[in-house]
Amino acid sequence: MTALTILLVLVLLLVVFGLLFRLQIFTSIFSGTFTRDIGMSNSVNAILMLVFLIGGGGWFAYSFVENFSKMNPPIASVHGHQMERMFWITMAVLGVAFAITQTLLFVYSYKYQHREGRRAYFFAHNNKIEVIWTIIPAIVMAALIFAGWKAWTRITGPAPKNSVVVEVMGKQFNWLVRYPGRDMKLGVINYRMIDAVNEWGFDLSDKSALDDFTTNEIHVPKGVPVLIKIRSRDVLHAVYMPHFRVQMYAVPGMPTRFWFTPTTTTDEMRAKLGNPKFNYELACNQVCGGSHFAMKATVIVDEPDDYQNWYAAQQSFSQKNPDVLAAFKLKAKTMVTPVASSTEEKEAAPTPLAASY
């Protein structure tokens, strides 16, 4: 206890001496007798500011040119060209503003470095400057946001009636894909029915679900609108297809959607790139867990005739899993269905967290 008391007293003494020393410095400053040797460090730092500006700017320009093709894969969708144009307009506006402000920042740091006898000019306020640097960015940002809003509402709004419908569901750590069958309607799914076999949770008591089929890869036809319906079974994922300029979150409990029109088949893109092993890819670009790297699926763009042949060759989930279908039929036979007394009673109440289209 005595040692602790002595230690605390020593610490308090150091604090008191420190405060007295600072008080002496403040007194000297106010009396005008305080002098401090700046030395060469100030000039060195000012020069390093310019070195960083020139060196960093040059390295950025080199890196940008060298990796431009990697950052901008070829566009393979109709709306992708508009997205690309809007992106580069935004980047140009922000890039010019960034270059001007950063150049001024580092040049001013050099130009107005400390020199003996020079005092800073105190600039209190200027309404004209305030109005200029508020209104101009506001107008530019409003124009960019309006253009983005128009594009966004179009590609997330109602898809054309002739659209091919594909539904994808993200789960840790892969993508599930399903298509509507001959009736062109996706059937009901219910999370309560999900198991190791029925990963989607197909409710096979719904006739529309009987011909739905699942695949390990996504096939879409060239030149035909494709509506991607998106779900998540667990955490936040993202549907990211860079060549189609498609990016949409897969949110638990909130279905999302995105439609696009492919313009280049997989074979055409392979020939264009000179890479016979190339495939379009659906990747998750949100870190969704330890095996996030596995969240990807192959996307194949076919000619319309090839797509029709592929589509016709697919077997429905109920055909591939007769045991699951038999269990649903047995359950239906054992259930007693009450006689509805009105039209309203004949309509089935929606099941919580079950979805149908």
Side-chain angles (χ1 to χ4, degrees), residues 31-235:
S31 64
T33 60
F34 178 78
T35 59
R36 187 173 184 178
D37 185 19
I38 300 299
M40 289 294 295
S41 61
N42 189 72
S43 298
V44 170
N45 285 330
I47 293 172
L48 288 177
M49 288 285 188
L50 292 183
V51 171
F52 182 82
L53 173 65
I54 297 170
W59 180 256
F60 169 79
Y62 168 77
S63 176
F64 182 82
V65 173
E66 185 71 15
N67 296 285
F68 183 82
S69 59
K70 297 177 183 178
M71 297 186 295
N72 294 271
I75 300 171
S77 68
V78 172
H79 82 275
H81 295 281
Q82 183 183 4
M83 293 291 103
E84 193 80 349
R85 183 168 58 254
M86 187 170 62
F87 173 80
W88 285 114
I89 289 173
T90 304
M91 288 298 294
V93 172
L94 297 179
V96 168
F98 178 83
I100 292 174
T101 54
Q102 296 306 302
T103 300
L104 291 175
L105 173 66
F106 288 99
V107 169
Y108 275 35
S109 297
Y110 173 81
K111 184 177 180 180
Y112 296 106
Q113 61 181 286
H114 173 78
R115 288 191 175 91
E116 293 294 339
R118 183 167 70 179
R119 295 179 64 84
Y121 174 70
F122 178 69
F123 192 82
H125 186 72
N126 187 299
N127 287 331
K128 185 177 180 180
I129 293 178
E130 291 280 354
V131 169
I132 289 173
W133 73 31
T134 300
I135 290 181
I136 292 178
I139 293 173
V140 173
M141 292 303 294
L144 293 175
I145 291 171
F146 180 72
W149 171 78
K150 285 179 62 179
W152 180 255
T153 53
R154 182 169 57 256
I155 57 184
T156 59
K161 292 183 179 180
N162 65 328
S163 297
V164 169
V165 178
V166 185
E167 186 171 28
V168 296
M169 180 159 64
K171 73 177 184 68
Q172 295 174 314
F173 291 97
N174 68 297
W175 292 99
L176 305 177
V177 184
R178 75 160 173 160
Y179 289 77
R182 299 293 183 270
D183 62 358
M184 303 308 296
K185 294 180 180 179
L186 289 170
V188 170
I189 60 174
N190 191 323
Y191 80 95
R192 294 187 180 90
M193 298 177 181
I194 292 175
D195 56 31
V197 177
N198 190 1
E199 289 192 289
W200 271 96
F202 283 108
D203 184 351
L204 296 181
S205 62
D206 175 34
K207 292 182 179 180
S208 296
L210 291 174
D211 58 357
D212 291 356
F213 63 90
T214 62
T215 62
N216 293 324
E217 57 188 17
I218 300 172
H219 281 254
V220 294
K222 172 186 173 181
V224 178
V226 178
L227 173 61
I228 304 289
K229 294 186 174 183
I230 304 166
R231 296 178 182 275
S232 173
R233 211 173 80 174
D234 36 46
V235 299

Side-chain angles (χ1 to χ4, degrees), residues 262-303:
T263 57
T264 309
T265 66
T266 298
D267 290 337
E268 289 172 342
M269 187 59 75
R270 287 172 178 173
K272 181 178 180 179
L273 298 176
N275 180 8
K277 296 182 179 180
F278 168 82
N279 276 313
Y280 295 114
E281 184 178 84
L282 184 163
C284 174
N285 62 2
Q286 298 296 312
V287 179
C288 55
S291 297
H292 161 70
F293 63 88
M295 289 289 298
K296 57 184 179 179
T298 300
V299 181
I300 298 176
V301 180
D302 298 311
E303 292 289 354

